[in-house]
Amino acid sequence: MSERPFMQLYVSDFVGDTLQLSTEQIGAYMLLLMAMWNAGGSLPEDDARLARVARLPLKRWRAISAELLAFFEREGDEIGHKRLTKELCKARLKCEARAAAGARGGAATALKTKARVQANADVLTRHSPESRNQMEKASAFSAREGRERPGISIGGREAASGSQGQGRLKKPPGWTRPKTHGDAANAIIEEIRGYDHGRTAAGNEGAGGNVLLLPAIRPD
């Protein structure tokens, strides 16, 4: 099939140029023009081939060909047609312009399609069962890790790392509460009281007042 599916025909010009031709010659002329259009603008100047294109016996072709070949131009061993060559060039330019525009449009459509497919793939990946399971596992692991994380000791008491609703954390085996400043003060007071009891038992009238000399130290 020809890359040029139609041939421009200027009817008024054609009729005016072929007034002297017979019906048989006009038919042969049209067949030659159409074959030349499909062939790219030229045909071999060979009577046998031209007769087959015109669908005439060789003898009949030779009888009517003189008037027909006057419409064509000879170039070497081929014949061409000036008006047909001009229209053929115009058709080629239009075809190339349409092809270039189609290529640009196709490239833009391909980019849009690729972007849309990628976006859909991302959405499907985020909402696929496997992705949801992975996110749920990660969330459960984070929550369990927060519950199992040891508490932070603040002022001798255990501070929960999670929310207040999670309750106190279990103390690990062998855990002992760290000593505080209050523990040290109580130990000093008890030591002074023991010393005062000893002085009281020995009849010392000033015994029992040593604790009062330490106003900054109070038991918890």
Side-chain angles (χ1 to χ4, degrees):
M1 181 177 179
S2 172
E3 296 179 356
R4 297 163 293 278
F6 67 91
M7 180 180 69
Q8 188 75 29
L9 177 64
Y10 297 90
V11 178
S12 296
D13 292 343
F14 182 84
V15 172
D17 293 340
T18 59
L19 289 176
Q20 73 276 22
L21 300 180
S22 66
T23 302
E24 183 182 39
Q25 289 174 318
I26 290 176
Y29 183 35
M30 282 296 302
L31 290 172
L32 290 173
L33 289 176
M34 290 187 289
M36 190 173 289
W37 179 270
N38 283 339
S42 63
L43 290 175
E45 189 179 12
D46 179 85
D47 284 341
R49 293 185 180 183
L50 294 178
R52 285 196 297 271
V53 170
R55 301 178 186 180
L56 293 171
L58 179 58
K59 184 177 180 179
R60 185 57 187 163
W61 163 255
R62 286 175 174 170
I64 66 172
S65 63
E67 290 184 272
L68 290 179
L69 292 178
F71 290 94
F72 298 93
E73 299 173 341
R74 292 178 174 82
E75 293 183 3
D77 57 351
E78 294 184 341
I79 60 173
H81 192 280
K82 185 176 181 179
R83 184 65 177 269
L84 183 141
T85 300
K86 181 179 179 180
E87 296 299 326
L88 190 58
C89 289
K90 289 168 58 176
R92 284 173 178 170
L93 291 176
K94 290 181 180 180
C95 183
E96 291 173 0
R98 285 195 298 267
R104 290 193 298 269
T109 302
L111 289 176
K112 292 180 180 179
T113 302
K114 183 178 180 181
R116 185 167 58 251
V117 170
Q118 183 62 43
N120 292 338
D122 293 341
V123 172
L124 292 175
T125 299
R126 288 197 300 270
H127 295 282
S128 65
E130 294 183 359
S131 298
R132 289 200 300 270
N133 291 338
Q134 291 176 357
M135 289 187 290
E136 291 172 358
K137 290 179 181 179
S139 177
F141 177 78
S142 298
R144 184 171 63 254
E145 184 182 26
R147 290 194 300 271
E148 295 176 354
R149 184 177 299 170
I152 302 173
S153 178
I154 301 177
R157 290 185 292 275
E158 196 72 17
S161 60
S163 63
Q164 295 179 355
Q166 292 179 350
R168 292 182 177 274
L169 299 177
K170 294 183 179 180
K171 299 179 179 61
W175 182 88
T176 57
R177 185 170 65 82
K179 297 295 183 180
T180 66
H181 293 291
D183 294 332
N186 290 334
I188 294 174
I189 291 172
E190 290 302 323
E191 184 177 352
I192 294 174
R193 283 174 176 170
Y195 175 69
D196 284 344
H197 286 316
R199 293 175 62 192
T200 300
N204 191 333
E205 295 180 358
N210 290 324
V211 174
L212 299 177
L213 297 175
L214 301 171
I217 301 178
R218 295 287 183 273
D220 289 344

